[in-house]
């Protein structure tokens, strides 16, 4: 189960250069939500909007393409998207809701559908759950330390951040690029990530990330019937350029390797938690 | 993979479309014990709580349209009837439940039966006022007469708002001590929240049916689904927003997803700096935030089959809610 159940996997990017201009990778998330909005598949989507400080996201319910565009790009710190899922069906009155989230956030979504204790009339309204690959996440203060102290870039002058090929990279408005080895960032990871057993959002309708495909492109898994149907419509309507995943480098092998590495490492952490103290351990959330 | 093929069989008698190696379906019995709802059986348009009362045949013991129905009772302790309303708010799904799977053989609000009878499942709503001997006798009797006791809702499970009682209220000022039912009896399943959603009650009712009347395979599925709720029942009778601090953040498990904030019925939780911040003056001690948190329990064997389980329950029971 390292890559979860999926029906298809392709390399893709948004056909619209206007979306790609500020998306993190192939603009899959933004383009798919825009497509789903235009086709009436969703009435709105919970995405990471701009918070009150640079690169600090807050969840928002986007009901227009303009709002989706505003929320493009990865912010490497916690954005509690699931906190808005009920509100989207209440104050916003949406009947068909989209949500983007890290694998753990998609797990929350599935749990609230199968065990909807405090989630009346929410689960059946989730029409599209897009998962983004995720190795780890950081607190805002952690990200600030990485960007300002280690990369020597002011948060407000950063225009993009990226993790890939073993490096954390910050790009600035004026064209400077600052890079540090990823291992310097490990100590800022949120502790809850160290027991996470999902890299590619196994439980999403569609999941996507940069790993596996060339720069500017994305790896896309379609996983559920809902996901397959929406992806089919989007392809038919010409929203995406695609290539077979077997034709691109580094391809699925790298995705599988990174997923296996993550799960193996975090399973070890879970095992170590059992005997963390002396004759006493820490709680295992998966029991 | 096992659960998916099992569910398909349970609800449709069909094999799953995705061929799965070694699913062993060849020798499995065709167990169509849970009939599919008629295609037209959409949730009723009119409010359900009115129609419920027009359904007296549900309580006639002698009528047994489906031989394998289970009996469910609703035991009303000190609660506000919100949990029962939530059960009724399954609308069309409630009728499907009562037509095909369960007889409601005790329910002071909806069924004319005075004494707590023997039943398969007791859904207990409300906490027990130990200053009222009727309540204490009733909860004892419910335990003796029921195979499975479910703490339905937060008052039964954790005391919830009744924890704040100090007595002195009209017209029983001496009633001041309200205990979660598990302080007095063994409880098998917890279903917290104030109130638990119609869909949650529906899911637990279906799983209880499969546990009691299903084939071995169906029992296994139901047991896997119910296990975390049984574990919650063992975890204790005290709940508070503080559980997130103690048992999630304190255990290095919080991932800042925000589920707890969306769950809280009184909006006592906001996410500050990626972690829940609990307004402890607002918290009514319902325990829903912890139960709904993905890091309180997350059982991959069930969750990995979310699509099939969701489809199967919806097909059999209607979507619940509106
Ligand atoms: C913490 C984190 C770690 C990641 N790690 C990896 C990795 O290891 N490997 C990999 O291949 N990909 C990883 N990704 C995913 C990758 O960075 C891109 O988000 C993904 O490829 C989508 O790009 P896109 O161009 O399709 O999306 P875009 O069109 O740019 O849209 C991105 C969407 O994600 C939302 N978003 C941004 N930040 C967050 C956040 N913090 N929480 C929730 N939603 C957010 C935005 O609101 C937007 O809707 C990670 C993402 C995050 C947030
Ligand atoms: S590593 Fe796992 S727990 Fe951490 S943010 Fe990513 S998906 Fe969530
Ligand atoms: S639901 Fe659990 S994991 Fe999510 S933010 Fe709340 S306490 Fe943290
Ligand atoms: S914080 Fe809210 S959800 Fe949690 S126990 Fe208190 S009232 Fe219930």
């Amino acid at each position: 189960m390292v890559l979860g159940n999926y029906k298809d996997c392709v390399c893709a990017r948004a056909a619209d250069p206007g979306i790609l201009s500020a998306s993190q990778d192939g603009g899959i998330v933004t383009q798919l939500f825009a497509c789903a909005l235009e086709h009436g598949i969703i009435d709105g989507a919970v995405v990471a909007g701009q918070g009150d400080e640079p690169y600090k996201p807050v969840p928002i319910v986007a009901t227009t393409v303009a709002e989706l565009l505003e929320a493009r790009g990865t912010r490497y710190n916690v954005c509690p998207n699931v906190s808005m899922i009920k509100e989207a069906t209440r104050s916003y009155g949406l009947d068909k809701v989209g949500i983007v989230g890290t694998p753990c956030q998609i797990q929350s979504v599935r749990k609230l559908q199968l065990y909807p204790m405090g989630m009346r009339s929410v689960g059946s309204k989730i029409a599209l759950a897009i998962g983004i690959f995720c190795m780890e996440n950081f607190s805002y203060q952690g990200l600030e330390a990485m960007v300002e102290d280690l990369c020597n870039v002011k948060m407000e002058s950063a225009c993009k951040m990226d993790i890939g090929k073993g490096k954390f990279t910050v790009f600035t408005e004026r064209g400077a690029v600052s890079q540090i080895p990823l291992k310097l960032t490990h100590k800022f990871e949120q502790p809850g990530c160290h027991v996470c057993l999902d890299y590619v959002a196994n439980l999403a309708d569609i999941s996507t990330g940069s790993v596996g495909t060339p720069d500017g492109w994305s790896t896309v898994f379609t996983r559920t019937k809902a996901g397959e149907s929406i992806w089919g419509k989007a392809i038919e309507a010409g929203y995406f350029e695609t290539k077979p995943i077997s034709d691109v480098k580094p391809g699925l092998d790298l995705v599988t390797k990174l997923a296996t590495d993550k799960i193996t490492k975090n399973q070890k952490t879970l095992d170590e938690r059992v005997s963390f103290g002396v004759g006493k351990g820490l709680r295992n959330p998966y029991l | 993979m096992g659960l998916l093929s099992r569910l398909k069989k349970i609800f449709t008698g069909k094999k799953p479309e995705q061929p799965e190696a070694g699913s062993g379906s060849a020798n499995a019995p065709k167990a169509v014990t849970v009939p599919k709802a008629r295609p037209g059986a959409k949730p009723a348009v009119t409010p359900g709580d009115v129609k419920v009362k027009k359904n007296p045949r549900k309580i006639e013991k002698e009528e047994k349209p489906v031989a394998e129905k289970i009996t469910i009772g609703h035991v009303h302790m000190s609660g506000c009837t919100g949990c029962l309303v939530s059960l009724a708010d399954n609308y069309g799904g409630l009728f499907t439940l009562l037509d095909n799977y369960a007889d409601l053989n005790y329910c002071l609000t909806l069924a004319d039966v005075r004494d707590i009878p023997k039943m398969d499942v007791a859904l207990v709503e409300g906490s027990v006022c130990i200053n009222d001997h009727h309540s204490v006798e009733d909860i004892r009797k419910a335990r003796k007469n029921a195979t499975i006791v479910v703490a339905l809702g937060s008052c039964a499970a954790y005391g919830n708002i009744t924890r704040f009682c100090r007595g002195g209220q009209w017209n029983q000022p001496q009633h001041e001590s309200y205990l979660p039912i598990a302080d007095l009896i063994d409880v098998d399943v917890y279903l917290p929240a104030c109130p638990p959603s119609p869909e949650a009650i529906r899911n637990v009712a279906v799983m209880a049916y499969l546990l009691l009347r299903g084939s071995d395979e169906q029992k296994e599925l139901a047991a896997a689904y119910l296990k975390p709720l049984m574990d919650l029942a063992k975890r204790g009778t005290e709940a508070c927003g503080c559980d997130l601090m103690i048992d999630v953040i304190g255990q290095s498990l919080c991932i800042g997803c925000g589920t707890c904030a969306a769950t809280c019925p009184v909006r006592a939780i906001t996410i500050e700096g990626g972690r829940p911040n609990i307004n402890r003056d607002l918290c009514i001690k319902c325990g829903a935030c912890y139960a709904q948190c993905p890091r309180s329990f997350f059982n991959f064997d069930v969750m990995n089959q979310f699509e099939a389980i969701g489809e199967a329950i919806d097909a059999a029971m209607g979507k619940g809610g509106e």
Side-chain angles (χ1 to χ4, degrees):
Chain A
M1 285 294 284
V2 285
L3 300 183
N5 296 323
Y6 61 93
K7 297 180 193 291
D8 199 8
C9 178
V10 292
C11 166
R13 73 175 176 200
D16 179 358
I19 290 211
L20 288 174
S21 62
S23 65
Q24 186 73 16
D25 298 308
I28 308 296
V29 179
T30 304
Q31 182 67 277
L32 257 181
F33 279 148
C35 160
L37 260 185
E38 280 157 17
H39 283 71
I41 296 165
I42 58 170
D43 310 318
V46 182
V47 294
Q50 312 296 347
D52 52 10
E53 285 178 74
Y55 280 84
K56 186 180 210 172
V58 285
I60 58 158
V61 181
T63 52
T64 62
V65 174
E67 285 169 313
L68 288 171
L69 289 173
E70 276 289 296
R72 280 173 296 175
T74 301
R75 267 61 48 76
Y76 287 101
N77 64 109
V78 173
C79 185
N81 283 358
V82 191
S83 68
M84 286 302 279
I85 195 76
K86 195 194 257 178
E87 204 56 13
T89 71
R90 304 295 203 268
S91 305
Y92 292 81
L94 309 189
D95 286 330
K96 291 166 283 177
V97 186
I99 183 166
V100 58
T102 50
C104 59
Q105 295 179 329
I106 303 299
Q107 289 180 344
S108 311
V109 167
R110 297 317 178 193
K111 178 169 171 181
L112 74 83
Q113 288 181 311
L114 275 185
Y115 294 91
M117 291 161 281
M119 289 284 180
R120 178 176 178 144
S121 304
V122 176
S124 59
K125 294 187 175 163
I126 299 172
L128 177 58
I130 303 182
I132 46 185
F133 302 178
C134 179
M135 192 59 88
E136 71 277 302
N137 205 347
F138 305 93
S139 63
Y140 185 70
Q141 290 75 6
L143 184 71
E144 231 176 357
M146 285 153 56
V147 173
E148 302 213 324
D149 300 351
L150 300 182
C151 292
N152 259 317
V153 174
K154 283 254 170 255
M155 287 298 263
E156 51 270 29
S157 48
C159 67
K160 181 169 182 172
M161 299 177 194
D162 195 33
I163 292 179
K165 305 180 185 86
K167 302 228 157 48
F168 174 73
T169 311
V170 184
F171 303 85
T172 70
E173 304 274 9
R174 304 165 97 196
V177 179
S178 183
Q179 248 182 2
I180 53 170
L182 203 53
K183 68 168 185 301
L184 294 182
T185 69
H186 289 333
K187 72 170 180 181
F188 299 112
E189 290 166 1
Q190 66 170 344
C193 294
H194 297 154
V195 299
C196 174
L197 301 177
D198 188 345
Y199 178 55
V200 287
N202 293 354
L203 302 184
D205 291 312
I206 293 177
S207 50
T208 184
S210 60
V211 162
T213 40
D215 286 353
W217 292 78
S218 294
T219 304
V220 180
F221 291 100
T222 46
R223 299 184 177 280
T224 62
K225 284 182 199 148
E228 195 178 37
S229 139
I230 291 165
W231 185 250
K233 282 184 189 141
I235 295 293
E236 203 176 298
Y239 283 100
F240 292 102
E241 284 177 66
T242 64
K243 296 181 193 174
I245 192 76
S246 50
D247 286 4
V248 299
K249 290 265 177 280
L252 264 188
D253 287 350
L254 184 63
V255 187
T256 311
K257 182 190 175 296
L258 290 182
T260 311
D261 288 353
K262 171 175 176 177
I263 294 167
T264 312
K265 175 172 130 301
N266 291 347
Q267 184 59 55
K268 192 162 159 262
T269 307
L270 273 167
D271 295 343
E272 286 164 1
R273 286 170 62 97
V274 176
S275 53
F276 197 81
V278 179
K280 290 180 192 250
L282 299 174
R283 194 166 66 75
N284 181 343
Y286 304 123
L287 291 180
Chain B
M1 291 304 120
L3 285 177
L4 176 99
S5 44
R6 250 172 265 151
L7 256 167
K8 291 272 156 116
K9 264 184 279 153
I10 292 163
F11 288 103
T12 63
K14 280 193 216 117
K15 286 211 282 182
E17 298 117 48
Q18 276 184 332
E20 282 163 57
S23 67
S25 52
N27 54 353
K30 265 204 172 180
V32 200
T33 42
V34 179
K36 263 179 98 166
R38 280 154 285 121
K42 275 267 156 198
V45 200
T46 40
D49 38 351
V50 183
K51 294 190 77 180
V52 169
K53 294 188 179 168
K54 286 197 220 150
N55 218 17
R57 69 186 180 82
K58 301 306 165 217
I59 53 156
E60 283 168 20
K61 273 193 216 141
E62 59 280 9
E63 194 193 350
K64 284 183 186 147
V66 179
E68 291 195 305
K69 272 185 173 185
I70 59 172
T71 50
I72 293 185
H74 174 263
V75 179
H76 208 313
M77 308 304 294
S78 296
C80 71
T81 322
C83 298
L84 180 65
V85 169
S86 194
L87 165 71
D89 280 352
N90 274 292
Y91 303 130
L94 177 65
F95 299 133
T96 312
L97 177 73
L98 296 177
D99 283 342
N100 301 330
Y101 313 118
D103 282 317
L104 190 64
N105 73 343
Y106 178 74
C107 177
L108 287 182
T109 318
L110 302 176
D112 190 15
V113 177
R114 271 301 188 74
D115 280 325
I116 297 178
K118 286 239 178 263
M119 54 188 139
D120 293 316
V121 180
L123 301 174
V124 183
E125 168 174 351
S127 56
V128 187
C129 177
I130 58 170
N131 313 119
D132 171 43
H133 69 93
H134 294 295
S135 301
V136 177
E137 278 157 27
D138 276 359
I139 195 67
R140 287 182 181 150
K141 195 156 186 187
R143 176 66 278 182
K144 279 195 205 109
N145 285 356
T147 313
I148 298 174
V149 172
V150 180
L152 179 69
S154 295
C155 292
Y158 298 119
N160 196 35
I161 194 79
T162 67
R163 286 280 196 198
F164 295 84
C165 186
R166 297 155 60 246
Q169 72 282 347
W170 189 249
N171 62 355
Q172 301 282 2
Q174 74 283 12
H175 286 184
E176 63 178 29
S177 314
Y178 293 81
L179 298 188
I181 62 171
D183 280 348
L184 298 176
I185 62 167
D186 286 333
V187 176
D188 303 293
V189 173
Y190 261 31
L191 192 58
C194 182
S197 70
E199 303 96 313
I201 304 175
R202 171 201 65 179
N203 292 1
V204 165
V206 168
M207 292 299 170
Y209 172 84
L210 294 179
L211 189 73
L212 294 169
R213 294 288 185 274
S215 65
D216 287 350
E217 281 182 312
Q218 292 166 337
K219 285 188 172 124
E220 195 189 318
L221 162 73
Y225 179 91
L226 292 171
K227 178 173 181 295
L229 304 178
M230 295 166 129
D231 290 342
L232 271 186
K234 289 186 204 118
R235 184 173 165 268
T237 58
E238 277 179 44
C240 179
C242 304
D243 293 352
L244 303 176
M245 302 191 262
I246 296 163
D247 253 0
V248 186
I249 302 172
Q251 289 284 309
S252 280
L253 292 171
C254 180
I255 34 117
C257 63
T259 308
C260 48
T263 304
C264 181
V266 294
R267 297 180 190 249
I269 306 176
T270 47
I271 306 290
E272 317 280 350
R275 294 291 175 265
N277 183 56
I278 295 109
N279 182 333
R280 297 190 303 286
D281 279 346
L282 281 183
C283 172
I284 55 168
K285 298 182 182 289
C286 74
C289 49
Y290 180 75
Q292 198 72 66
C293 167
R295 289 293 175 85
S296 62
F297 69 82
F298 197 85
N299 44 353
F300 282 105
D301 54 346
V302 173
M303 299 292 184
N304 283 341
Q305 308 303 326
F306 73 92
E307 194 181 14
I309 296 178
E311 279 176 4
I313 295 181
D314 282 352
M317 297 283 297
K319 285 200 170 207
E322 34 252 67

